[in-house]
Amino acid sequence: MEGTTRLQDFKGNTLRVFTSSGTCNFWFCSLDVSVKSRVVVTGDNVGNVILLNMDGRELWNLRMHKKKVTHVALNPCCDWFLATASVDQTVKIWDLRQVRGKSSFLYSLLHRHPVNAAHFSPDGAQLLTTDQKSEIRVYSASQWDCPPSLIPHPHRHFQHLTPIKATWHPRYNLIVVGRYPDPNFKSCTSHELRTIDVFDGSSGKMMYQLYDPESSGIMSLNEFNPMGDTLASVMGYHILVWSQEEAGKRK
């Protein structure tokens, strides 16, 4: 909210400021980094996306969306390939080598609701999007503009809740996302738990649910370690760490 994108060490010391708006009216909402290409990309609350090199030099600054850019993601295999998600109900795909303006996107993927996230799969072949209501989508790299696979899932937006974002397992075709039970959701049951749900990325089938009765809040963000055997989940002011062994006990 202070309007800066900065590099810090684990002690909180600022090593470099990449971007600074100089005002509290503009702030940055999303960030990704490519070590291979040595670039930083960030999106702000009014639809701008900024590309910088690792020295902090601005390469371009363009308004790519009509509203807040909630997520930016560089493809892990083709890091010149960029996905941007926005509350303007679109996810756009760009070739960083050919960006000339707001209309130079390769594809614009229209959603029914504002979009919280757009994550490329670890192999770069799929794109996972999470809207602000009840839909997770999986797009295929071979046919970006074709109808995606749809996974109905309750994760509606709430003003004081960190937006829920589905993400990938780093080694298997699995999707993990926090559940926010919605009484208006078709399959909702009474006393439904606020679980962490794991889906098969190919079929959309529910494979597993994680739940800790001592931490019954909504798990808005979930992230695996590179090996995929440990999961960190964010709930309010708390972080839960699940190991493969402990998850088995909670099944």
Side-chain angles (χ1 to χ4, degrees), residues 73-238:
L74 294 162
N75 190 294
C77 297
C78 301
D79 52 9
W80 44 264
F81 216 41
L82 171 70
T84 58
S86 172
V87 296
D88 68 7
Q89 300 181 215
T90 65
V91 172
K92 294 181 179 179
I93 298 175
W94 313 79
D95 183 338
L96 292 182
R97 304 167 300 179
Q98 301 177 12
V99 172
R100 299 292 182 270
K102 63 181 181 180
S103 299
S104 59
F105 54 82
L106 300 177
Y107 300 98
S108 181
L109 312 175
L110 182 63
H111 288 62
R112 287 189 277 259
H113 299 279
V115 186
N116 285 338
H119 282 284
F120 285 107
S121 58
D123 62 2
Q126 295 174 291
L127 183 70
L128 171 69
T129 69
T130 314
D131 74 359
Q132 289 189 357
K133 190 167 179 64
S134 60
E135 193 173 82
I136 296 169
R137 298 186 180 189
V138 181
Y139 291 86
S140 172
S142 61
Q143 28 187 257
W144 292 118
D145 52 354
C146 289
S149 299
L150 302 179
I151 302 175
H153 182 265
H155 51 257
R156 66 194 189 278
H157 180 72
F158 178 63
Q159 181 180 3
H160 303 294
L161 176 71
T162 299
I164 294 174
K165 299 184 177 185
T167 191
W168 297 95
H169 189 281
R171 302 182 67 186
Y172 302 107
N173 190 18
L174 297 173
I175 295 166
V176 60
V177 59
R179 174 177 290 259
Y180 183 9
D182 183 354
N184 296 316
F185 190 67
K186 184 177 180 180
S187 63
C188 185
T189 60
S190 60
H191 308 295
E192 188 169 284
L193 299 177
R194 297 171 172 178
T195 56
I196 300 171
D197 301 338
V198 182
F199 293 92
D200 183 295
S202 298
S203 66
K205 179 183 177 182
M206 174 85 75
M207 304 298 294
Y208 199 83
Q209 287 184 298
L210 295 173
Y211 179 73
D212 185 338
E214 297 180 4
S215 304
S216 58
I218 300 167
M219 306 295 180
S220 296
L221 303 175
N222 298 278
E223 190 71 28
F224 284 99
N225 70 339
M227 292 298 295
D229 58 2
T230 302
L231 175 68
S233 303
V234 176
M235 178 195 68
Y237 294 100
H238 304 282

